Amino acid sequence: MKRTAVNPWDWSIKLGYNQAEVIEGATRQVICAGQTAVDGTGAPQHPDDMRAQISLALDNLEAVLKEAGMDLSNVIKLGVYATDVDEALKNFDLMGMRFGPHQVAPPMTLLGVTRLAIPSLLFEIEAIAAA
């Protein structure tokens, strides 16, 4: 699979994502449901701790991708939902720590929401991956 970044401006690169990517040669796609800070039984974890919730949601995303035979390097689109966008952005260094080693900056949308499916959850991330 070949990825070509499309960035008419450079401001988003500084924030860790491309405006768009041209994907060529992919033969498989995985559409991931939103991943949150829940344990293996689906019980919410880390109430009132945005940083810990982002970290666990990313762990869960990586677990889903691994089960599908992929990793974060395969992610071509992210959708992020947070109940407090400012607090999420304060902790977005976690995104860079996870995606940076894979040298990818998938296009992303970050939305502020009033709540998630389970009220104690603060952060949810969904992904599309391709190989």
Side-chain angles (χ1 to χ4, degrees):
M1 175 178 76
K2 179 182 174 193
R3 303 169 76 126
T4 304
V6 178
N7 289 301
W9 321 276
D10 66 355
W11 62 263
S12 66
I13 298 166
K14 297 171 188 171
L15 295 173
Y17 69 95
N18 291 314
Q19 290 292 319
E21 290 184 339
V22 177
I23 306 298
E24 298 176 78
T27 58
R28 287 179 64 226
Q29 280 194 6
V30 174
I31 312 298
C32 300
Q35 300 300 308
T36 59
V38 296
D39 65 14
T41 68
Q45 303 296 303
H46 313 296
D48 302 318
D49 187 339
M50 180 69 79
R51 189 167 187 85
Q53 286 202 18
I54 292 172
S55 184
L56 183 52
L58 288 166
D59 288 347
N60 290 341
L61 176 59
E62 287 188 282
V64 169
L65 291 168
K66 183 177 179 183
E67 189 74 16
M70 295 187 185
D71 61 30
L72 293 177
S73 70
N74 298 103
V75 173
I76 60 171
K77 174 74 172 97
L78 290 170
V80 178
Y81 307 90
T83 58
D84 183 336
V85 171
D86 293 330
E87 189 64 24
L89 287 171
K90 286 180 194 172
N91 293 287
F92 252 47
D93 61 308
L94 293 171
M95 301 287 280
M97 294 162 108
R98 298 293 185 96
F99 284 92
H102 296 282
Q103 298 183 325
V104 296
M108 174 187 350
T109 300
L110 169 60
L111 296 173
V113 297
T114 55
R115 65 164 271 196
L116 296 168
I118 300 171
S120 63
L121 295 175
L122 309 172
F123 183 88
E124 186 165 346
I125 185 167
E126 60 186 16
I128 299 173

